[in-house]
Amino acid sequence: MATMGSTVLHLPSGPTGVVGKLHPTVLFNICDSFIRRNDQQERVIGTLLGSFSVDGTVEIRNSYAVPHNESLDQVAVDIDYHRTMFELHQRVNAKEVIIGWYSTGSGVSASDALIQDFYGREVTNPIHLTVDTAFTDDQANIKAYVSTPLTLGDRPLAAQFHEIQLDLRLVEAERLGFDVLKMTVVDKLPSDLEGLEGTIERLQDMIDTISRYVDNVIEGQLPPDNAIGRYLADTIASVPRVNSDAFDKLFNDSVQDVLLVLYLANLTRTQLTLAEKLNTAAQIV
Amino acid sequence: MADGNPPPMRSFAQAASTEEIVVPSRVVQIDGLVALKIIKHCKECMPALVTGQLLGLDIGSILEVTNCFPFPSRGGEEEDEVEADGANYQLEMMRCLREVNVDNNTVGWYQSTYMGSFQTVELIETFLNYQENIKRCVCIIYDPLRSGQGVLALKALKLSDAFMELYRTQVFTGEKLREKNMTWKDIFEEIPVKISNSALVSALMTELESDAPATQCDFDRLVLSTNPFMEKNLEFLIECMDDLSMEQQKFQYYYRNLSRQQVQQQAWLQKRRAENAARRLSGEEPLPEEDPNNPIFKPLLEPSRLDSYLITNQIANYCGQVNGFAGQSLSKMYLMDAFHAD
């Protein structure tokens, strides 16, 4: 915090309403560039691309590393590189704009203020993302900050970094499956049926948990929670109540449709193989 | 038991001239990063089809893909501009990536597809283009629509060697294909895909894994509505059938012409022989039995079978998709039945 002087010190007030949403590609990119850094560098710096939305949320979609040189009191960032890469990325996706920058390593250091300043010239309120790759505190610390300048009258003194809320939007990672991403090597991508099997197992687990909870509440071992009870009742009620005949008819119809299409597809395949055998057998003079 | 002399050293020229045996790649190892980037890029640009370049390393029988970047989409500009732009973009991108120590080696390209309809002649030509410079290149096909069903539809394809040689000769007649014993299945080879992650990334992901017992992927998989997907698949299948029947008609036309031509040739030959017999009787020179200038002797071009091969491949693909999808929907429906019984 800055010291008091004879002029009024302006301090920011109120919580910052900015929320950041992080896409998994960015995380992977950062880790990858950290692994590939030059030997002398301790940390990696790069630009974040994304979009600002109207209600104050910032979506962080993409990133690229920028070579930089850091010594005790000086920081040099390769601006040309940063500009060139930005242009290249713009060509692919014009909607992604510069929204801030990232660095690996925990916490915020003194030179960050300078870099924040530089990025402040590109966009009004740059976001600073730190990814703790050294796992200090035994935790994966991913934090995002916005900065406000501290001014003493007219002179800029320092920049204060506030942490903002960061939302991890891992939908795409989920698509690949966390199992695939957790291991260092996965030998085979799971096929359709295996995936479905996994899903159904998880569904079964969930239902088991719920039924155990309900049993416990009935026996009096656990205190009943009205909110949960109501939620459960709603969920079960959302299963459509169709009387048996109608359901049977619906079920049979759908099963028949699917079987018909399946039969047709297999027939086509057999026909193709047969035709090809005949082609090879026939000798045209 | 030692030999008297050590084996003779090969001269440098000899060593340089021996051909390197290209080991076919047996596995493609993709980084989690690459898979995520491909998914993101293809999903963002849906329904447009997009392509991008794959970078990585080629070691032994494993083709490692460690990074990728997307190509800008063409916006209906002139052909020349787009070509130059594209090449420029590629060079710039590779130069920049090299500065941050990313592998600078192109190993292939990826493209998104719509419902599995990717077998076109352009794909083959792009393959050949790449193959000239790179010994083993691979194409990764990603289907964002099928992935909406909860399946990760990522595959790695390569042109089979036999097919590449055949393509270079540009002759696709029935005879040639029978010689090489090539069926329509042999055009593309699918290579199994492995995913690898760095230790840092896997540690991070383990930490970040959400605690919810079900993921969005699960919700996608359990959706019961089967109709839209089936309908689209069948639509494409029917279109392909139409194309195939057109190709068949072309062949029939060719065969009809061929047989007609042969009949004509026979008739002409008969006439000639009769004439010759008459001439011999009258003591004149017999006319040659062949007349290369006569148009009925012109050999007819057999239409290329490449298109029909590609189409049959496509059809087989669709059928496979329908199969897989039907299996899943049947299981889901029986599940619903079990629910209802309770």
Side-chain angles (χ1 to χ4, degrees), chain A residues 162-237:
Chain A
H162 306 266
E163 198 174 328
I164 62 174
Q165 189 187 344
L166 196 58
D167 217 359
L168 289 174
R169 231 182 123 265
L170 293 171
V171 172
E172 283 138 4
E174 287 174 0
R175 206 148 265 158
L176 265 189
F178 276 111
D179 304 326
V180 168
L181 291 174
K182 268 196 298 186
M183 324 265 279
T184 26
V185 174
V186 174
D187 276 330
K188 195 172 89 75
L189 285 179
S191 76
D192 325 357
L193 285 178
E194 284 167 22
L196 191 62
E197 195 183 326
T199 306
I200 295 185
E201 272 174 27
R202 274 191 282 265
L203 188 63
Q204 199 174 15
D205 279 341
M206 283 197 278
I207 296 182
D208 278 341
T209 321
I210 292 185
S211 74
R212 251 178 314 171
Y213 172 78
V214 169
D215 284 339
N216 281 335
V217 167
I218 291 180
E219 287 172 19
Q221 288 175 12
L222 281 178
D225 188 346
N226 282 336
I228 296 187
R230 224 169 286 141
Y231 194 62
L232 281 177
D234 281 341
T235 318
I236 297 185

Side-chain angles (χ1 to χ4, degrees), chain A residues 36 38 61 81 84 92-93 174-176 180-184 186 195 199 202 251 262 268-269 276, chain B residues 40 44 89 92 96 101 152 183-184 194-197 202 213 216 218 220-221 241 323 333 340:
Chain A
R36 285 175 191 276
N38 288 323
R61 281 186 218 227
Y81 182 90
T84 325
V92 177
N93 194 346
E174 287 174 0
R175 206 148 265 158
L176 265 189
V180 168
L181 291 174
K182 268 196 298 186
M183 324 265 279
T184 26
V186 174
T199 306
R202 274 191 282 265
F251 177 70
L262 189 62
T268 321
R269 258 223 283 233
E276 184 218 311
Chain B
K40 170 175 176 290
E44 272 175 9
Y89 174 85
E92 276 295 313
C96 289
N101 300 333
L152 181 61
T183 63
W184 46 264
K194 254 168 46 157
I195 297 208
S196 77
N197 294 305
S202 62
Q216 182 61 34
D218 291 330
D220 283 338
R221 275 199 206 121
M241 291 295 215
N323 256 340
M333 280 200 264
H340 185 82

Side-chain angles (χ1 to χ4, degrees), chain B residues 49-267:
Chain B
L49 300 180
V50 290
T51 57
Q53 184 97 300
L54 295 171
L55 306 167
L57 290 170
D58 201 357
I59 309 177
S61 66
I62 302 185
L63 188 66
E64 282 190 28
V65 179
T66 52
N67 213 329
C68 67
F69 60 83
F71 283 146
S73 41
R74 317 260 176 102
E77 298 153 30
E78 320 228 329
E79 266 303 315
D80 300 332
E81 258 182 48
V82 170
E83 281 296 320
D85 260 353
N88 221 358
Y89 174 85
Q90 229 177 320
L91 287 171
E92 276 295 313
M93 199 48 146
M94 310 241 315
R95 188 180 63 82
C96 289
L97 286 176
R98 189 176 42 214
E99 286 195 29
V100 274
N101 300 333
V102 174
D103 298 324
N104 208 4
N105 195 16
T106 311
V107 291
W109 83 103
Y110 68 86
Q111 66 180 65
S112 68
T113 170
Y114 193 69
M115 297 294 282
S117 59
F118 54 84
Q119 276 126 358
T120 54
V121 188
E122 285 100 28
L123 186 68
I124 299 187
E125 302 210 335
T126 326
F127 247 120
L128 287 174
N129 266 334
Y130 271 86
Q131 200 77 10
E132 281 169 28
N133 302 330
I134 316 164
K135 286 251 178 55
R136 300 189 303 184
C137 68
V138 73
C139 173
I140 293 193
I141 308 266
Y142 175 70
D143 191 349
L145 267 183
R146 269 190 75 213
S147 298
Q149 307 279 332
V151 174
L152 181 61
L154 196 75
K155 359 189 211 188
L157 282 187
K158 169 171 107 76
L159 272 191
S160 63
D161 294 327
F163 181 73
M164 269 197 295
E165 285 173 27
L166 189 60
Y167 194 77
R168 284 205 191 106
T169 64
Q170 280 287 328
V171 173
F172 290 108
T173 59
E175 295 288 326
K176 222 29 196 308
L177 291 164
R178 238 170 285 142
E179 264 175 53
K180 302 260 180 172
N181 209 14
M182 282 219 23
T183 63
W184 46 264
K185 287 188 218 115
D186 293 334
I187 300 187
F188 295 108
E189 266 173 33
E190 190 173 327
I191 313 184
V193 166
K194 254 168 46 157
I195 297 208
S196 77
N197 294 305
S198 60
L200 179 62
V201 158
S202 62
L204 213 62
M205 276 292 129
T206 321
E207 280 277 333
L208 292 176
E209 181 176 357
S210 61
D211 291 323
T215 61
Q216 182 61 34
C217 192
D218 291 330
F219 291 136
D220 283 338
R221 275 199 206 121
L222 286 176
V223 168
L224 275 181
S225 94
T226 57
N227 287 339
F229 182 78
M230 286 290 214
E231 274 169 31
K232 265 203 220 115
N233 224 335
L234 280 182
E235 230 183 87
F236 281 2
L237 192 62
I238 294 178
E239 269 182 37
C240 261
M241 291 295 215
D242 283 339
D243 288 337
L244 189 64
S245 69
M246 274 200 318
E247 294 282 322
Q248 299 279 37
Q249 276 181 359
K250 267 196 250 170
F251 276 114
Q252 281 182 344
Y253 187 63
Y254 165 73
Y255 282 133
R256 236 179 310 154
N257 280 348
L258 190 66
S259 48
R260 206 168 8 138
Q261 199 194 41
Q262 283 183 339
V263 164
Q264 282 178 336
Q265 284 177 359
Q266 292 291 45

